[in-house]
Amino acid sequence: MTRNSVQEEDAPPPARRARQRPRGDDRPPAKGPQAHPAAAPPRDGGDGRHGADGGEVHARGTRRRPPRRGHRALRWSAVTLAVLILGTAGAGYLYYQHLNGNIEKDPLNLGDSKVAKPTPNAAGQVPLNILVIGSDARDTEENQKLGGARETFGGTPLADVQMLVHLSADRSNMSVVSMPRDTLVKIPKCTDPDDGKVYPATVGRTMTNQSLGHGGPGCTVATWQELTGIHIDHFIMVDFAGVVSMADAVGGVPVCVDANIHSRDRKGHGSGLKLPEGTHPVKGEQALQWLRTRYGFEDGSDLARAKAQHMYMSSMIRRLRENATLSNPNKLRRLAEEATEALTVDPGLDTVKKLYDLSTELRKVKPERITMTTMPNRYVGARVEPTEDAEQLFRLVREDIPLDGKSVKKTPEKESDDPAAADGEIAVQVRNGTRTDVLAPASGRARTVAGLLVDKGFTQAVADPATAASEDRTVVRYPSAELEGDAQRVAKALGIPVSSVKQSTDVSGVTLVVGADWREGTAYRAPKSDDKTPRTAQALNGADDKACMHVNPAFTWS
């Protein structure tokens, strides 16, 4: 296959030279001209750098990050989960220190605000959330050859693929949530770990893929946490070359199309993927083409591409679990080398041992309990924004509810081992968080609920006159373990379930936020939970080997 057989689907912006790496860095500098990468075109045919109102977004061009192997082109995140599922089985015994040296790392979270870790269940188990990030950057000759577009070499990357992998606390099920790259979000303030540069929070909403250019993957993590309220434990990224090598190592990944497809239009746009109708194993550059294809699948959108990536991920997981050829030591050695060379992770995953331990947890889940989804969204011009269904999906992940609809064994709510102080000694701040997307805050709710607490003996309860951030459900937050018992005591007095008592570094004491579920009345009634995965999430079961991508008739051949 020629150098240009997997071309970038988009026309690149003009090349610009990046700053050089400071002397003394022990990593080799990138070779060749430096430039900003090309963003894939939006659905309206634009250049992918415009905000919700059509105005140009400049965040991408404000910084030229020095080329680093840790920021390679990592776009095809579907294969990342497969690396973890494999578990580098024999790799722990092959050149352990050498393999550890292959792995690059970056800080986990570059934002200021934090999201509290989930409270352990009665068995002491907690879920794991791993953000998989892929970018358009190309900073090695091999990745440049695979990615095309010479003028993008070494440019500031865009987080064009973002997938959250959620492993349940009891390790019985796994959920994957993809966010379209052109989702409009608020990127929080982030500080670059390399040079200390501060990127202010964006004014208004910006495409989520620009978060990677605000200091690195830790800003993408911060953006996710701000949007979803989900605590993220780790991130992991993989580059173009890693996709190719791992697809080769497993002997190809079966994929299906419902008609002959050639992803190429008259202007030369497309990945170049050419497959006949039916199911075929793809490997090498053809596997990369599948993961990059947008032109030719369904409506040609990023949503269709995400669907194809989900199919590939599911198929590779099944392949890795079934493929006996991976017991071959030489193939394992090759896969271990390629995988560790391709990875950039947070410090919590920066050794083969840590990756092996994580993969051991992931491998406990059978394919039929893995659910792939896309964040429910609606169009805003040529972009998209999360819908109410998206918040429903995020809540299910936050509360560790399986997306496959299968019931889980309910464990009793864990009460704190820390005894509560006397009611009259517990200081409580009450805030009004009853605002919704369509309703103004209910007047006087903080004052009313604070009065209820005083009547019940919590004489130090006071109302905060300022309106709090919107909360769908009433919640009691506390900053540290020694106040957990006090927070649970406040919740119990008002009939609020223990599951709504959360630790948070955003509060300085026991804080009750009256949510949109308690806009009136003096008796709290917990709403009945709708724990079904929204249909708009387009759920795909990991064991579904009959799924087939629909081919747009304009991209078929005979």
Side-chain angles (χ1 to χ4, degrees), residues 414-428 452-459 476-478 481-502 510-512:
K414 182 179 182 296
E415 294 192 6
S416 174
D417 295 330
D418 178 57
D423 292 353
E425 297 176 4
I426 300 175
V428 187
L452 291 175
L453 284 171
V454 170
D455 290 345
K456 292 178 178 292
F458 294 86
T459 54
V476 182
R477 296 193 172 98
Y478 61 96
E482 61 267 19
L483 291 178
E484 182 181 25
D486 292 357
Q488 289 189 358
R489 172 64 192 138
V490 170
K492 186 175 182 180
L494 294 173
I496 299 169
V498 172
S499 59
S500 294
V501 179
K502 309 288 185 181
V510 177
T511 304
L512 190 158

Side-chain angles (χ1 to χ4, degrees), residues 24 55 118 164 283 287 384 453:
L164 180 69
K283 58 182 179 179
V384 298
L453 284 171

Side-chain angles (χ1 to χ4, degrees), residues 106-427:
D106 254 9
L108 175 62
N109 187 348
L110 302 183
D112 290 337
S113 63
K114 309 296 180 184
V115 174
K117 294 182 178 180
T119 302
N121 62 19
Q125 301 166 306
V126 292
L128 274 175
N129 295 305
I130 306 144
L131 186 63
V132 177
I133 305 169
S135 85
D136 252 351
R138 298 166 177 87
D139 59 359
T140 68
E141 291 185 356
E142 185 175 10
N143 284 325
Q144 179 65 22
K145 179 179 178 180
L146 293 169
R150 292 187 186 91
E151 49 270 56
T152 67
F153 194 97
T156 303
L158 294 171
D160 274 359
V161 172
Q162 301 173 30
M163 292 183 180
L164 180 69
V165 178
H166 171 82
L167 180 63
S168 67
D170 64 4
R171 307 304 189 249
S172 68
N173 65 90
M174 188 188 304
S175 305
V176 179
V177 179
S178 290
M179 184 189 298
R181 66 171 190 171
D182 52 4
T183 301
L184 296 173
V185 298
K186 290 184 177 180
I187 300 176
K189 173 186 172 184
C190 291
T191 303
D192 190 314
D194 289 338
D195 56 19
K197 180 175 180 178
V198 175
Y199 291 83
T202 56
V203 178
R205 298 188 300 176
T206 303
M207 286 171 58
T208 184
N209 66 353
Q210 297 198 22
S211 59
L212 195 58
H214 288 219
C219 194
T220 305
V221 169
T223 301
W224 265 79
Q225 291 196 157
E226 288 270 328
L227 176 67
T228 67
I230 298 169
H231 175 80
I232 295 175
D233 301 282
H234 301 291
F235 73 78
I236 187 167
M237 305 193 291
V238 66
D239 67 13
F240 284 143
V243 172
V244 171
S245 63
M246 285 183 284
D248 287 348
V250 298
V253 177
V255 295
C256 177
V257 287
D258 66 1
N260 300 341
I261 182 174
H262 187 200
S263 178
R264 182 77 73 223
D265 67 10
R266 293 179 179 179
K267 296 182 179 179
H269 296 145
S271 71
L273 176 71
K274 190 172 184 178
L275 282 176
E277 177 183 350
T279 300
H280 309 277
V282 293
K283 58 182 179 179
E285 293 186 32
Q286 195 173 49
L288 185 58
Q289 287 176 323
W290 175 275
L291 292 165
R292 300 183 67 233
T293 294
R294 186 162 59 87
Y295 292 100
F297 284 155
E298 299 185 350
D299 62 355
S301 70
D302 286 328
L303 304 179
R305 176 156 53 189
K307 185 175 179 181
Q309 290 172 352
H310 291 165
M311 288 185 183
Y312 182 94
M313 180 188 289
S314 298
S315 184
M316 178 168 254
I317 290 170
R318 294 192 298 270
R319 186 76 168 168
L320 286 167
R321 295 177 72 98
E322 299 166 0
N323 196 327
T325 63
L326 290 178
S327 61
N328 182 305
N330 288 331
K331 290 190 176 183
L332 273 174
R333 182 191 303 264
R334 176 188 170 194
L335 187 58
E337 289 279 356
E338 297 286 357
T340 53
E341 282 280 355
L343 296 180
T344 298
V345 298
D346 67 275
L349 292 178
D350 63 353
T351 68
V352 170
K353 174 64 165 59
K354 292 175 183 177
L355 287 168
Y356 178 80
D357 289 344
L358 175 60
S359 68
T360 299
E361 296 296 292
L362 292 167
R363 291 180 66 192
K364 294 176 182 179
V365 182
K366 297 180 179 179
E368 55 267 27
R369 295 303 312 277
I370 298 174
T371 306
M372 315 283 183
T373 64
T374 298
M375 181 198 76
N377 59 84
R378 58 176 162 250
Y379 284 103
V380 180
R383 312 295 176 218
V384 298
E385 66 181 3
T387 64
E388 293 76 12
D389 282 354
E391 173 51 35
Q392 164 76 348
L393 187 65
F394 298 152
R395 181 183 68 80
L396 295 179
V397 174
R398 286 196 301 267
E399 297 181 8
D400 198 25
I401 297 171
L403 299 187
D404 58 9
K406 295 184 179 179
S407 61
V408 294
K409 184 179 179 181
K410 296 290 184 180
T411 55
E413 293 182 334
K414 182 179 182 296
E415 294 192 6
S416 174
D417 295 330
D418 178 57
D423 292 353
E425 297 176 4
I426 300 175

